Amino acid sequence: MKVGTDGVLLGAWAPLRESDRSILDIGTGTGVIALMMAQRAPKSEIVGVDPFGVEEARENADHSPWGDRIRFFQTTVQEFESDRKFDLIVSNPPFFVDSLKCPDAGRTEARHTVSLPFGDLCRSVLRLMAHDGHFAVILPVGESEKFRREALLKLSLVRSVDVHTTPRRAAKRRLMEFVRYDEEQPVPQILHEDLYMGTGEHEQYTEEYKRLTRDFYLKF
């Protein structure tokens, strides 16, 4: 689980605005998403937090051209404190909410909502996000609906992308962008799209997937 497709998808897709100067990566792991955001946003400062260690993330950043703009903290996001609010928050969170846990403790923590329940994630985003900030996340489709229910009247979904491995297969993952819920504002219209990674032929990728990720994959 060093570099996963989910992280690359989120790092490449997360909407960036010209005004986004501070970015938080929740559950940074090896720092891949933080590095991708640093590459895409050359004027931004990036912070990554992870309770399970940030040594690899720091080493990876130090070997990149952007290490001086990335900071990592070994802490849970629930306990993380910041003097500034973040314009953009991204997260590839643990996602198996109710499934049986793996005997491997590290893999269990990475894949189950043991240390970061969806309710805690929502509250942390609201606490750390700027008033006009936005939040991007990737989840399996089923868990995305659970997260949306948890975020009801807290965060408003403005954009989603269902990710399919091929045109013949149902979506496996969903990319979502949220803003703060505001009861005084009209409910925002949700922009929904589908992304197909492969054509259905062996190791053949679609042009849309290559366009999205070619800045990060040498094979494209």
Side-chain angles (χ1 to χ4, degrees):
M1 290 164 35
K2 296 293 184 184
V3 178
T5 303
D6 289 5
V8 173
L9 280 166
L10 179 62
W13 174 84
L16 270 173
R17 307 172 301 190
E18 179 62 29
S19 60
D20 290 339
R21 291 290 184 269
S22 55
I23 300 172
L24 173 66
D25 177 20
I26 297 175
T28 197
T30 56
V32 171
I33 297 173
L35 283 162
M36 293 174 73
M37 301 313 296
Q39 178 176 329
R40 292 181 57 203
K43 298 179 182 178
S44 297
E45 299 291 328
I46 293 89
V47 171
V49 297
D50 198 300
F52 305 117
V54 294
E55 293 83 5
E56 275 191 274
R58 182 69 266 164
E59 183 178 359
N60 289 334
D62 288 344
H63 284 84
S64 79
W66 315 290
D68 60 340
R69 292 191 288 111
I70 309 176
R71 293 180 296 151
F72 295 104
F73 297 91
Q74 183 171 344
T75 182
T76 65
V77 70
Q78 296 96 320
E79 297 176 334
F80 176 63
E81 299 290 342
S82 174
D83 293 335
R84 68 185 300 183
K85 301 294 184 181
F86 293 92
D87 302 312
L88 170 62
I89 299 177
V90 295
S91 184
N92 174 21
F95 53 63
F96 292 139
V97 177
D98 300 317
S99 59
L100 293 174
K101 296 177 175 56
C102 172
D104 184 320
R107 191 171 179 84
T108 291
E109 294 287 2
R111 286 300 186 215
H112 293 77
T113 55
V114 173
S115 61
L116 187 57
F118 286 161
D120 284 7
L121 178 57
C122 282
R123 285 187 288 273
S124 297
V125 168
L126 290 170
R127 178 173 61 85
L128 295 166
M129 187 170 67
H131 179 73
D132 60 347
H134 54 144
F135 170 56
V137 63
I138 185 168
L139 286 166
V141 173
E143 271 64 37
S144 75
E145 292 300 324
K146 295 173 183 176
F147 182 82
R148 283 190 66 183
R149 289 195 292 271
E150 186 63 49
L152 189 65
L153 303 184
K154 303 171 189 173
L155 296 166
S156 294
L157 180 65
V158 294
R159 184 182 178 194
S160 71
V161 176
D162 279 357
V163 182
H164 307 251
T165 53
T166 73
R168 297 185 184 90
R169 295 186 178 275
K172 297 283 190 180
R173 296 288 188 270
R174 181 170 289 159
L175 292 153
M176 299 183 291
E177 180 189 11
F178 292 86
V179 297
R180 286 182 184 275
Y181 171 77
D182 187 344
E183 62 181 5
E184 297 182 357
Q185 297 294 325
V187 177
Q189 183 176 359
I190 301 171
L191 174 62
H192 179 77
E193 303 168 286
D194 289 277
L195 171 66
Y196 301 95
M197 297 171 58
T199 64
E201 298 180 17
H202 182 61
E203 293 189 357
Q204 294 298 310
Y205 298 95
T206 63
E207 287 302 317
E208 60 180 337
Y209 180 63
K210 289 192 282 188
R211 280 196 301 272
L212 178 66
T213 60
R214 66 165 40 107
D215 287 342
F216 311 102
Y217 280 134
L218 294 177
K219 62 186 176 183
F220 295 156

